[in-house]
């Protein structure tokens, strides 16, 4: 199984960017934690980050046919990124939306997501662990273990 781990604009600045909201871990550290857990689960991760919406659309299109699910933190594109939403929806793959910060405890404009309606679900406010929970969900959903089926 292979999953795409996609991060949007400004997430390359994690570690320096507003640690009170986003924590102190760098994106590289978070990616390596996800990769480590993925290895334990026998899953391969394709990790990518881009600041532009078009670049993110290109990445989704490029990897759609060789991954089985997508973990995405779309950054501010969450709130208005319709072409990213369309690209994600077009894959037909299960998508989990992740936010490091609790967007519901912040400005009102952050509380609207154009991605959420096409996502399986959304994890917000649990910091870097949110990416790990998204990974666990997708792996379990794609390969349910005995006793864990709906
Ligand atoms: C974010 C929340 C967004 O509102 C913000 O624009 C980001 C990061 C988060 O991970 O909490 O860039 O997606």
């Amino acid at each position: 199984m292979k999953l795409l781990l996609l991060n949007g604009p400004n997430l390359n600045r994690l570690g320096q960017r507003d640690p009170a909201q986003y924590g102190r871990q760098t994106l590289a550290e978070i990616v390596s934690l996800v990769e480590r857990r993925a290895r334990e689960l026998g899953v391969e991760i394709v990790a990518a980050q881009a600041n532009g919406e078009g670049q993110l659309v290109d990445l989704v299109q490029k990897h759609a046919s060789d991954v089985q699910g997508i973990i995405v933190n779309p950054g501010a594109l969450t709130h208005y990124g319709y072409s990213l939403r369309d690209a994600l929806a077009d894959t037909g793959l299960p998508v989990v939306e992740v936010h490091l910060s609790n967007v519901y405890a912040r400005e009102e404009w952050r509380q609207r997501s154009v991605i959420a309606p096409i996502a399986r679900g959304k994890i917000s406010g649990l910091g870097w662990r949110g990416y790990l929970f998204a990974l666990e969900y997708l792996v379990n959903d794609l390969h349910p273990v005995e006793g864990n089926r709906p």
Side-chain angles (χ1 to χ4, degrees):
M1 188 194 304
K2 209 192 249 193
L3 300 174
L4 178 60
L5 171 59
L6 198 57
N7 280 280
N10 297 308
L11 294 164
N12 56 317
R13 299 266 310 139
L14 288 179
Q16 282 118 56
R17 181 187 176 202
D18 197 353
Q21 289 295 347
Y22 303 122
R24 301 207 168 273
Q25 291 74 20
T26 64
L27 184 58
E29 286 165 351
I30 293 171
V31 168
S32 90
L33 286 166
V34 174
E35 285 172 341
R36 192 169 73 190
R37 180 66 186 131
R39 264 196 303 279
E40 289 168 6
L41 295 167
V43 175
E44 201 180 320
I45 297 291
V46 184
Q49 186 275 334
N51 287 324
E53 186 167 2
Q55 294 166 281
L56 291 162
V57 169
D58 286 342
L59 285 162
V60 170
Q61 291 179 1
K62 178 177 169 195
H63 294 291
S65 58
D66 58 67
V67 298
Q68 286 75 53
I70 301 176
I71 300 166
V72 62
N73 182 344
L77 290 169
T78 303
H79 316 299
Y80 65 93
Y82 292 105
S83 66
L84 178 58
R85 169 202 165 121
D86 281 351
L88 290 166
D90 191 44
T91 65
L93 295 168
V95 172
V96 180
E97 178 183 336
V98 173
H99 300 285
L100 294 146
S101 66
N102 177 358
V103 289
Y104 298 103
R106 302 182 66 193
E107 301 92 328
E108 209 179 315
W109 58 267
R110 292 189 201 271
Q111 297 175 22
R112 175 169 179 258
S113 169
V114 301
I115 308 294
I118 61 92
R120 278 293 175 84
K122 161 170 173 159
I123 298 167
S124 177
L126 304 184
W128 57 269
R129 292 179 184 83
Y131 291 96
L132 293 182
F133 299 144
L135 168 68
E136 300 280 346
Y137 167 77
L138 283 173
V139 172
N140 190 260
D141 183 66
L142 291 161
H143 284 298
V145 290
E146 201 56 53
N148 220 350
R149 290 194 171 87

